[in-house]
Amino acid sequence: MDSRFGFRFSSGDVRSGSSLTLGERLCAVLLPFVAVAEFVFFALTDCLADICSPSSSSSRLRRDPSASSFLTTAKKTHLRRRIGPGCVSLGLRDLAHLADESRCFSVNEVEALFELYKKISCSIIDDGLIHKEELQLALFKTPSGQNLFLDRVFDLFDEKKNGVIEFDEFIHALSVFHPLAPVEDKINFAFRLYDLRQTGFIEREEVMQMVIAILMESRVELSDDLLEAILDKTFEDADTDRDGKICQEEWKEFVLRHPNLLKNMTLPYLRDITTAFPSFVFNTAVED
C-alpha cells in the first residue's frame, strides 16, 4: 500500500523490529514526523497557491482602485493605524518593523503578505482578523468540522492566545517557513507542533494521535500492530534517555540526525512572494 507520503506497506504486513531492513527501519522511524510535516506543508502551499493565483486575486486588485494607491496613501499619512486587532492598513514604519522582526521578509514582501492576510481575514467575518473558521476555510476548503492539524496550526499562529490571528502573528509564524529562516526556529516550531498538551515533551500518545489523524485524512489504513511498531522505532531512535517521551534536546538531536524531517518546514514560495505571486505587486511606494 502506498501512502501519499511515499512510504509503501504491504497489506497486513506486520513484522518484528528484528526482521525489518535498514531502509524499512528508517521509514518506520521517520513516518510519524514526516507525515505530519508534509500535511501542514501541503495545506499551507495549497492555501498560498489558491489565494494568490491570478484568477482569484489579480482581477480583484485590478478592479479595486484603492489597491494601487495603498502605500502611496500610507506614505502620506505615515501611520494610519497601528499594528493590532483589526488593522486595515499599515504605514511604512509598521511594514519595516515587521520585516526587521521576521529576519527573512523584505518590506515589499510584508506588504504582499498583508494583502494575503486581508483576503483570508474577510472571508467569513470582515473584521481584519483571522478567525479559526477562516483559517480552516483557507487551508482545508471548509469552514467547519473537527481537525487536529487546524487546531495545532491555529494555536501556534495565535501567539497572544486571544482566539484570533493578528497580522504581526501571521508574519511571525510564516517567517518560520521561509527558506532563510534559522534551522533552530524550524526545529522549535516543529517541536511545539507535536507537543499537543504543551508539556515541554513529545509523548507517545501525542504522536499516535497525530499519526492516526493524518492516516484518516489521507485515507490510508494501517494495522494497530504496525502503528505500534512504527512508534516503537521512532522512540527507540529519538528517546535517548528511555523515559518514554522526547524532550527538546532529544528532538533537536533527532532532527539533526534526520534533516529530511525539516524539508517540509520550508515554503519555497516565501523566498520572494512578490515574484511567486505577481498579482500582489502593485504601484508600491516602498523601495527595498
Side-chain angles (χ1 to χ4, degrees), residues 187-203:
I187 291 174
N188 291 338
F189 189 95
F191 182 87
R192 290 186 293 129
L193 176 68
Y194 303 123
D195 181 14
L196 298 181
R197 302 188 182 102
Q198 302 176 46
T199 60
F201 298 94
I202 299 174
E203 301 175 13

Side-chain angles (χ1 to χ4, degrees), residues 158-173:
D158 180 18
E159 298 171 348
K160 299 169 188 171
K161 307 305 177 192
N162 58 358
V164 292
I165 300 171
E166 301 173 20
F167 182 58
D168 56 338
E169 296 172 317
F170 186 71
I171 290 294
H172 295 163

Side-chain angles (χ1 to χ4, degrees), residues 11-285:
S11 178
D13 185 17
V14 181
R15 286 178 276 182
S16 66
S18 59
S19 67
L20 290 174
T21 67
L22 178 61
E24 289 170 329
R25 287 168 65 89
L26 181 61
C27 284
V29 167
L30 298 181
L31 173 63
F33 300 112
V34 170
V36 174
E38 283 201 350
F39 188 89
V40 174
F41 171 81
F42 285 124
L44 288 173
T45 300
D46 289 346
C47 172
L48 285 171
D50 288 349
I51 291 178
C52 302
S53 65
S55 62
S56 64
S57 61
S58 60
S59 59
R60 179 184 60 84
L61 290 176
R62 284 197 299 268
R63 289 195 301 269
D64 184 358
S66 64
S68 63
S69 60
F70 165 68
L71 277 179
T72 302
T73 302
K75 189 173 184 179
K76 290 178 181 178
T77 61
H78 191 70
L79 184 63
R80 218 176 113 191
R81 191 164 179 179
R82 298 298 301 171
I83 301 173
C87 64
V88 293
S89 65
L90 297 176
L92 297 180
R93 182 183 299 169
D94 288 330
L95 293 168
H97 175 69
L98 287 171
D100 184 62
E101 275 190 344
S102 75
R103 297 178 293 171
C104 300
F105 294 120
S106 69
V107 176
N108 272 327
E109 288 165 349
V110 173
E111 172 194 1
L113 288 171
F114 188 54
E115 291 300 308
L116 170 61
Y117 175 86
K118 288 194 295 183
K119 187 172 180 71
I120 297 175
S121 67
C122 71
S123 59
I124 298 177
I125 304 171
D126 191 5
D127 61 356
L129 299 164
I130 296 179
H131 297 257
K132 183 178 285 189
E133 298 86 351
E134 292 171 321
L135 185 66
Q136 183 165 2
L137 180 62
L139 293 181
F140 304 109
K141 313 300 184 288
T142 175
S144 60
Q146 293 295 317
N147 191 297
L148 175 63
F149 302 100
L150 170 75
D151 292 340
R152 295 304 303 132
V153 171
F154 188 88
D155 187 59
L156 292 177
F157 274 57
D158 180 18
E159 298 171 348
K160 299 169 188 171
K161 307 305 177 192
N162 58 358
V164 292
I165 300 171
E166 301 173 20
F167 182 58
D168 56 338
E169 296 172 317
F170 186 71
I171 290 294
H172 295 163
L174 282 183
S175 68
V176 175
F177 292 87
H178 195 284
L180 300 180
V183 172
E184 190 80 17
D185 291 354
K186 296 178 184 292
I187 291 174
N188 291 338
F189 189 95
F191 182 87
R192 290 186 293 129
L193 176 68
Y194 303 123
D195 181 14
L196 298 181
R197 302 188 182 102
Q198 302 176 46
T199 60
F201 298 94
I202 299 174
E203 301 175 13
R204 185 185 179 95
E205 294 78 10
E206 294 173 321
V207 179
M208 174 66 87
Q209 187 177 349
M210 297 197 83
V211 170
I212 291 174
I214 197 69
L215 291 175
M216 289 179 63
E217 289 284 346
S218 305
R219 298 181 181 178
V220 173
E221 294 184 7
L222 297 179
S223 69
D224 291 343
D225 288 342
L226 184 52
L227 282 176
E228 291 292 343
I230 289 171
L231 289 180
D232 287 344
K233 292 303 173 187
T234 300
F235 277 79
E236 179 183 319
D237 192 13
D239 179 21
T240 55
D241 64 5
R242 301 295 183 260
D243 64 351
K245 53 191 177 183
I246 303 169
C247 68
Q248 285 187 300
E249 189 58 35
E250 288 173 328
W251 171 250
K252 182 177 180 180
E253 293 172 359
F254 179 62
V255 170
L256 292 178
R257 289 198 304 273
H258 304 294
N260 278 343
L261 287 172
L262 293 183
K263 180 182 67 174
N264 292 315
M265 286 297 298
T266 295
L267 293 170
Y269 289 144
L270 296 178
R271 182 179 294 277
D272 186 353
I273 194 168
T274 57
T275 298
F277 304 113
S279 61
F280 276 173
V281 180
F282 30 82
N283 298 328
T284 176

